[in-house]
Amino acid sequence: MFTFSFSSAFAATSYTLDDYATALTAEKTAQLGYMNSAKIQAVNSYKYDEDGFTTEGYMKAAYEAAADEVIADATKLMDDAINTVLNDKDWPKATAADKTIVANAYKATMGDLTTKDGMLAAIAKKADTLNKTQAPLTKTFVEGKLNVDMSKYDTTNKKYEGNTLTAAQAVQKAVDEAKDAIDKAAADKAKTDAEKNTAYKAAYEQFKTAMAKIKTIDDEKYSDGINAGTVEAAVEEYAKNTLDDIATVLAIDPNMAADATKDWSTVATGTLKAFWEANKVTTNKGEFFGVEIANITKVTRTEVAAVAAAYKNAVAAAKAPVKAFANGSKDKVTAITTADARLAVLANATKAVEKYADVKAYGDKMKAAYEFGIKVYDDAKVDAAVKAAEQLVYDDLNKNVYDTKEAKDYINAAATKENLTLTLTNFEAQKFDKAIEDAAKKMYKDGTKATDPQVKVSYGDDKTADADLVYLKGTYDSTAADKWASIAKDAVADLKDAQSYDEITKIMADAATDFGKLLKAADAADVKAARDSYKAALVNYGKLKASLLNNEKDYPTPTINAAVEQGKKLIDKATTVDAVKAAYEEAKAIVDNVKTADELKAAKEAVEKQIAALPYTSKLTEADKAAVKAAYDAYAAYKNMPGATEVSNKALLQEKYNKVNELAAKTIDDKAKALNKQLKTFGPTIKTMSDADKAAMAALKAEADAVKAEAKALNKEIKNVNDDYDGFLNAVSMPEYDKLASEDFAAAVAADALVKLTKAAKEGATVEEMNEALAAYKALTDRQRYEIDETALPLIKVVESKLGAEVKALKITTGSKAKKGSITVSWTVKGNATLADGFQVWKSTKKNSGFKKAITTKKQSYKNTKGLKKGTRYYYKVRAYKVVDGKNVYSDWSNKAIRKAK
């Protein structure tokens, strides 16, 4: 049954003091939260300059202090209102607490502090607090700015205050004046906080004005650099002016409010239109300096900040293209004097970089081009054209041509300027030249130019192969630098003259052997320590030897010392620890084998006598060179004896040696002169020579090579002597030889072979002419062949085909004889058997099948001794063959030779 209690349903609700306190305190907390939020909005809404001040002269900390005081005042009012309610003595109460009294407590006199505008209004009324807080802040700020790094300013040259102060002194004066102004304002008790704050700021502005007139050392270098004509300084000036141009046009406000916008529509279609790319659908949308803009008429603070960063990056990136445009001339940059011109160059800078990237891509495409399986372009020349095109691209930086000029236009223009033929006319020759360059690049970065030593590459696709480390200068100790250079230069010189791939390989192998004799950087410390140790041991050994000989007359101490010094030199030449040890043993042998004073005297007298016995200088002939050389060899052997003193007639030996060298040089030069005289009767160049002249010049090659060999041998002899005794001999003059050395006989030999091939390919050419032509071509070196292959190879095919036809027409008749254990097959040929490259002999035990090749031979007989069975009948047949265009051409088979084995 349901029951209802009137007493429980209508019981009165009561609210205690604690209930009121809890409710009103919670409301106060909520109001404080709203106020603090309003405080943050209000303080951040002020516009602060780069030094942190608003136009009213206050910093954020001052506004925060004023806002805190506003909130404290409001808190007190709320506390008073709450306490008034809670101090009521009549508790509990029937109604809940009225929370509106909390907010109303401050709103009545202070306004609504929970909004940004209400808080701003309240802060503005706190002038005393603002000034009281700001004054020490401003003082601290200004004093911080007065801490100038004096090391940045010149202390020598007096350029300021009527040339009475140096830069450093002028700075110190500005600092002192600012400090005085600050100290006076701070000490003036009559001044209010507001007046002090104003005084501090005035001191700072005066300081900034003074400092703006004083240049740092770097500033002076920069200015001097511009005046002196450096491109780098002019580029920096261009960049600075361009930044100012853009900043002026855009008028970016660093204190722009968060909800403010900029209308850049006229800018984007005017001065800076080159940097605005409008959306094709919505014209107000687009990209400005690469930054996406939602609406150019309402650019947000975030977008403005992004554009500011983007244009600064664009100007920084433009420095390199502008410097490239200058190409060493400051005037080309300083000539860009107007804002429009500077902005046009900036717009083109990015295009220039992109255009050169297109040029490089087009160059790569050219290098990858093939037609009918044949490479179209010369890689090296394309690379050279692409490199040269770079400057042509940047030369157009102040022109509006990048949108119309194609990458290929720049490459073609560069090729014309550099006189480069980009199409590949003879790939094999290029390939051979590249092999030479690649070999030289193991030693020098610039290949056969040989000016920049190669360095080790430790990582990536270009990592230096372990086998190539032997060629690197860096592999060896710094003391071996000159020897490395000598070996490397000689190797490069030989590479330039290389005639075959095998020769390139040998040159590099020989160089590696020579390099391997040098002191390696990795071994240097150990080897040098070993040298010092063993040289010290040798000194002691010498002392011991001297004490053992104990005969100052027969073995003077200077002689022993000289032997030790000679041994030291031997040890110093060793480049490994083991070699040092071996050199030490040799050095000891030198000490052990020192000559007595009498022996040295006898040796000296013998040399002097040998020199004196030479014919008078005026009577010398070239035939006397051997005797003079023998005298020198005797002199050198004597001088190599420890303790040897100079012979009395050394100068006479030098005189005579120089004389016979001059006579030998004249003979060589006379031979060269005779050859040069013949060469003068030929055309000025190989191309303009008649066929007869080419043949005649080719015929002179052997004679010219012999003359060159004689000249090189004489020069080498003089060099070797001077390596032993610096300046002992004079260099010889051979002007006619020098002319002869510049003649390209190899080219004449190749040209003559080409002439022969051309004649042999014509109708009516004799077999002899065709064979002679092919022989001449086969006798050429790899280099000579590659130089004419483009023309020669088609002719060779024609000649070989003609000879192949002759071989096909050969008629062969075979016969055979049998002896115990052998069958001999021989054959005769109707026609010119020499046309064939060889003959194939096939064998079978069946008459009409089962034939297998037994032998290929150039002879016209074959003695079969293997695989024979007594009583078995063998069948042989023969055919001639010739290789034509890489394939064999055959004559008809001969008749079958039949013979039973015995």
Side-chain angles (χ1 to χ4, degrees):
M1 176 180 289
F2 177 78
T3 61
F4 187 84
S5 171
F6 282 95
S7 61
S8 62
F10 296 100
T13 303
S14 61
Y15 297 90
T16 66
L17 175 64
D18 288 341
D19 292 335
Y20 265 61
T22 300
L24 295 176
T25 301
E27 179 61 21
K28 170 192 164 184
T29 301
Q31 289 295 319
L32 289 174
Y34 302 146
M35 289 181 206
N36 277 299
S37 177
K39 166 193 167 182
I40 295 171
Q41 294 178 44
V43 170
N44 288 337
S45 69
Y46 291 104
K47 296 178 180 178
Y48 303 95
D49 64 18
E50 60 184 3
D51 291 326
F53 291 90
T54 64
T55 54
E56 289 79 13
Y58 300 114
M59 302 176 99
K60 182 180 282 189
Y63 287 115
E64 288 175 338
D68 289 341
E69 188 169 299
V70 168
I71 294 172
D73 291 344
T75 301
K76 185 177 184 306
L77 292 174
M78 290 188 289
D79 285 341
D80 289 345
I82 293 170
N83 288 334
T84 299
V85 173
L86 296 180
N87 284 331
D88 193 331
K89 298 178 181 180
D90 189 10
W91 299 100
K93 296 186 181 295
T95 59
D98 180 6
K99 292 188 286 185
T100 61
I101 67 169
V102 178
N104 290 336
Y106 68 83
K107 283 184 178 180
T109 57
M110 301 180 71
D112 188 357
L113 301 179
T114 63
T115 67
K116 178 188 75 173
D117 291 339
M119 183 61 73
L120 285 170
I123 291 172
K125 296 176 182 179
K126 293 289 184 179
D128 289 343
T129 302
L130 287 168
N131 290 323
K132 184 177 181 180
T133 307
Q134 185 58 51
L137 288 174
T138 304
K139 181 173 181 286
T140 301
F141 167 80
V142 176
E143 288 175 336
K145 292 293 184 179
L146 300 182
N147 292 323
V148 181
D149 183 355
M150 301 299 290
S151 67
K152 294 183 177 180
Y153 295 89
D154 181 32
T155 60
T156 305
N157 300 304
K158 295 182 177 182
K159 297 182 179 180
Y160 300 94
E161 301 286 335
N163 295 330
T164 62
L165 299 179
T166 65
Q169 290 169 337
V171 171
Q172 190 60 55
K173 180 185 176 186
V175 170
D176 292 343
E177 289 176 347
K179 284 182 177 179
D180 288 343
I182 292 170
D183 292 341
K184 287 178 182 178
D188 192 346
K189 295 182 179 180
K191 286 186 181 291
T192 64
D193 289 322
E195 289 171 335
K196 288 181 179 180
N197 188 44
T198 301
Y200 297 152
K201 289 210 73 176
Y204 178 50
E205 292 302 323
Q206 182 180 343
F207 174 71
K208 281 204 301 183
T209 301
M211 290 296 291
K213 298 176 183 178
I214 306 170
K215 293 182 179 180
T216 65
I217 294 172
D218 287 342
D219 287 338
E220 289 180 352
K221 285 182 180 177
Y222 171 67
S223 299
D224 292 345
I226 293 175
N227 295 332
T230 64
V231 171
E232 291 77 7
V235 171
E236 289 298 329
E237 183 72 4
Y238 159 82
K240 176 181 176 298
N241 290 337
T242 306
L243 285 172
D244 292 343
D245 296 336
I246 300 173
T248 300
V249 173
L250 294 182
I252 294 175
D253 183 357
N255 300 319
M256 181 179 177
D259 55 354
T261 60
K262 283 273 189 183
D263 183 354
W264 279 345
S265 56
T266 56
V267 172
T269 56
T271 310
L272 299 176
K273 64 181 179 180
F275 307 97
W276 167 249
E277 186 176 348
N279 188 287
K280 293 181 181 179
V281 179
T282 307
T283 55
N284 280 346
K285 185 177 182 180
E287 290 188 2
F288 199 27
F289 283 97
V291 176
E292 286 197 17
I293 305 296
N295 188 341
I296 197 65
T297 66
K298 295 180 180 180
V299 185
T300 67
R301 186 170 74 170
T302 301
E303 292 170 337
V304 168
V307 168
Y311 81 67
K312 289 174 183 176
N313 289 337
V315 173
K319 290 181 184 179
V322 172
K323 184 177 179 181
F325 162 72
N327 195 22
S329 171
K330 167 215 169 190
D331 294 340
K332 291 182 70 176
V333 182
T334 55
I336 309 170
T337 56
T338 66
D340 286 344
R342 285 190 290 268
L343 292 173
V345 167
L346 178 63
N348 283 336
T350 300
K351 292 182 179 179
V353 173
E354 293 173 347
K355 183 61 69 176
Y356 186 56
D358 291 343
V359 168
K360 290 194 287 187
Y362 193 82
D364 290 339
K365 186 176 180 181
M366 292 175 71
K367 291 191 291 184
Y370 284 79
E371 287 183 6
F372 307 109
I374 299 173
K375 194 170 176 62
V376 178
Y377 297 102
D378 181 338
D379 287 358
K381 290 183 179 178
V382 170
D383 286 339
V386 168
K387 180 61 180 174
E390 182 177 15
Q391 189 57 53
L392 298 184
V393 170
Y394 289 116
D395 283 345
D396 287 340
L397 196 66
N398 62 342
K399 305 171 187 175
N400 295 317
V401 297
Y402 292 131
D403 293 334
T404 56
K405 235 175 177 180
E406 300 292 336
K408 66 178 179 180
D409 297 332
Y410 283 107
I411 289 182
N412 290 336
T416 300
K417 181 180 178 182
E418 300 296 323
N419 195 26
L420 297 170
T421 302
L422 302 184
T423 51
L424 193 59
T425 55
N426 190 342
F427 181 64
E428 285 298 331
Q430 300 294 339
K431 186 174 156 186
F432 184 74
D433 288 341
K434 184 177 183 300
I436 289 174
E437 285 299 316
D438 287 345
K441 284 180 179 178
K442 293 180 187 293
M443 296 170 287
Y444 292 99
K445 292 179 183 178
D446 51 0
T448 52
K449 290 182 180 179
T451 62
D452 189 4
Q454 186 62 270
V455 295
K456 180 180 179 181
V457 178
S458 300
Y459 305 99
D461 295 338
D462 296 329
K463 179 180 178 182
T464 305
D466 289 344
D468 290 343
L469 294 176
V470 68
Y471 300 108
L472 300 183
K473 183 178 182 180
T475 298
Y476 305 98
D477 186 61
S478 59
T479 57
D482 289 344
K483 291 182 180 179
W484 178 91
S486 177
I487 296 168
K489 294 281 187 183
D490 288 345
V492 169
D494 290 340
L495 285 171
K496 288 180 179 179
D497 293 334
Q499 295 294 313
S500 68
Y501 287 104
D502 288 343
E503 196 171 341
I504 293 173
T505 301
K506 185 178 185 304
I507 290 167
M508 295 306 290
D510 290 345
T513 299
D514 291 339
F515 284 136
K517 297 174 183 177
L518 303 181
L519 176 61
K520 292 181 174 61
D523 301 336
D526 292 340
V527 172
K528 290 177 181 178
R531 287 174 180 171
D532 291 342
S533 176
Y534 279 96
K535 283 191 292 185
L538 184 63
V539 170
N540 291 332
Y541 186 79
K543 292 177 179 178
L544 176 62
K545 186 69 176 178
S547 66
L548 290 174
L549 292 174
N550 197 23
N551 189 332
E552 200 57 30
K553 180 180 179 182
D554 289 340
Y555 295 97
T557 299
T559 302
I560 301 295
N561 291 342
V564 169
E565 290 304 312
Q566 188 172 330
K568 284 182 180 180
K569 292 178 182 178
L570 193 63
I571 291 171
D572 278 334
K573 291 180 180 180
T575 58
T576 67
V577 172
D578 287 342
V580 169
K581 294 176 182 178
Y584 173 67
E585 295 301 324
E586 290 183 50
K588 286 199 298 180
I590 292 173
V591 173
D592 289 339
N593 293 311
V594 291
K595 304 296 183 182
T596 65
D598 289 341
E599 287 173 329
L600 285 171
K601 181 181 178 183
K604 181 178 181 179
E605 290 173 350
V607 171
E608 289 174 337
K609 184 177 180 181
Q610 188 172 352
I611 294 172
L614 293 172
Y616 294 118
T617 304
S618 61
K619 298 288 186 179
L620 283 171
T621 67
E622 191 178 349
D624 296 315
K625 184 168 172 35
V628 174
K629 179 67 166 57
Y632 167 78
D633 290 341
Y635 166 80
Y638 163 69
K639 285 289 289 180
N640 200 41
M641 296 177 185
T645 57
E646 191 58 76
V647 298
S648 61
N649 50 2
K650 171 190 173 184
L652 185 62
L653 175 62
Q654 289 177 285
E655 177 185 289
K656 295 180 186 297
Y657 205 161
N658 282 322
K659 176 66 176 180
V660 292
N661 282 344
E662 289 170 8
L663 294 172
K666 185 178 184 307
T667 299
I668 294 170
D669 221 35
D670 287 345
K671 293 178 183 177
K673 184 176 182 179
L675 288 170
N676 288 334
K677 186 176 180 180
Q678 293 183 65
L679 292 172
K680 283 183 180 179
T681 64
F682 303 151
T685 66
I686 296 294
K687 289 184 178 180
T688 58
M689 283 184 189
S690 66
D691 290 350
D693 285 347
K694 292 172 184 176
M697 187 172 179
L700 292 176
K701 183 177 184 301
E703 190 176 348
D705 286 345
V707 172
K708 291 178 183 179
E710 288 182 52
K712 288 180 179 179
L714 178 58
N715 284 326
K716 186 174 182 181
E717 179 185 335
I718 294 171
K719 179 182 180 300
N720 289 341
V721 169
N722 287 334
D723 284 344
D724 290 335
Y725 302 102
D726 187 34
F728 193 90
L729 294 178
N730 299 329
V732 291
S733 174
M734 295 182 283
E736 291 292 336
Y737 160 72
D738 292 337
K739 292 179 187 177
L740 184 68
S742 65
E743 295 289 345
D744 192 353
F745 287 90
V749 171
D752 181 50
L754 189 57
V755 169
K756 289 182 170 65
L757 283 170
T758 302
K759 290 180 179 178
K762 292 179 179 179
E763 289 295 326
T766 66
V767 169
E768 288 74 16
E769 287 175 329
M770 288 187 280
N771 278 333
E772 183 185 0
L774 289 180
Y777 176 77
K778 290 176 181 178
L780 297 178
T781 65
D782 288 345
R783 184 192 285 273
Q784 291 168 337
R785 289 185 190 180
Y786 298 148
E787 287 175 354
I788 66 170
D789 270 354
E790 183 184 19
T791 304
L793 292 178
L795 296 174
I796 289 171
K797 288 182 181 180
V798 171
V799 174
E800 285 181 339
S801 294
K802 291 169 70 175
L803 291 174
E806 294 285 334
V807 170
K808 280 185 178 182
L810 295 177
K811 301 298 180 184
I812 301 173
T813 303
T814 63
S816 60
K817 294 180 179 178
K819 290 184 179 180
K820 185 176 181 181
S822 68
I823 296 175
T824 300
V825 182
S826 58
W827 55 92
T828 58
V829 181
K830 186 178 182 182
N832 191 339
T834 61
L835 296 178
D837 289 333
F839 300 90
Q840 292 180 351
V841 181
W842 291 58
K843 168 185 173 185
S844 178
T845 56
K846 298 178 182 178
K847 185 175 182 180
N848 296 315
S849 64
F851 279 90
K852 292 182 180 180
K853 187 174 10 177
I855 192 173
T856 298
T857 179
K858 290 183 176 294
K859 298 178 180 180
Q860 286 185 231
S861 64
Y862 164 53
K863 186 175 183 180
N864 184 189
T865 58
K866 295 180 180 180
L868 298 176
K869 291 183 179 180
K870 184 178 178 180
T872 301
R873 191 180 302 276
Y874 291 94
Y875 300 84
Y876 300 88
K877 59 181 181 179
V878 180
R879 62 180 178 180
Y881 76 91
K882 185 171 187 63
V883 180
V884 176
D885 195 17
K887 297 180 181 179
N888 285 348
V889 173
Y890 299 102
S891 68
D892 288 337
W893 287 108
S894 68
N895 62 300
K896 295 184 181 69
I898 307 168
R899 188 66 52 186
K900 184 183 290 186
K902 294 183 179 180

